[in-house]
Amino acid sequence: MSFTVYTIEMAYAHMRQLQELANRSRAHLPADANGRAAARSRRSRGAKKR
């Protein structure tokens, strides 16, 4: 049985791929949809208390 070593570099590369995919899928949405989503996420992020 062998274990694959999952390094920080591998995790970072995967995170970058997911970010690029998200940016590509967001690129073809209408501008007003992007604005509403950004405003909504900013509001919800600021409301969290830790």
Side-chain angles (χ1 to χ4, degrees):
M1 183 184 218
S2 67
F3 294 99
T4 302
V5 177
Y6 195 68
T7 63
I8 294 296
E9 290 81 9
M10 292 165 70
Y12 183 74
H14 184 64
M15 185 266 303
R16 293 288 300 177
Q17 288 174 345
L18 293 175
Q19 189 66 49
E20 287 171 12
L21 182 64
N23 288 340
R24 257 180 301 184
S25 67
R26 205 179 313 138
H28 58 77
L29 293 177
D32 61 339
N34 278 337
R36 279 200 304 272
R40 197 179 320 120
S41 67
R42 272 194 300 272
R43 239 180 285 125
S44 65
R45 223 180 301 142
K48 284 186 186 174
K49 300 277 193 249
R50 291 183 184 223

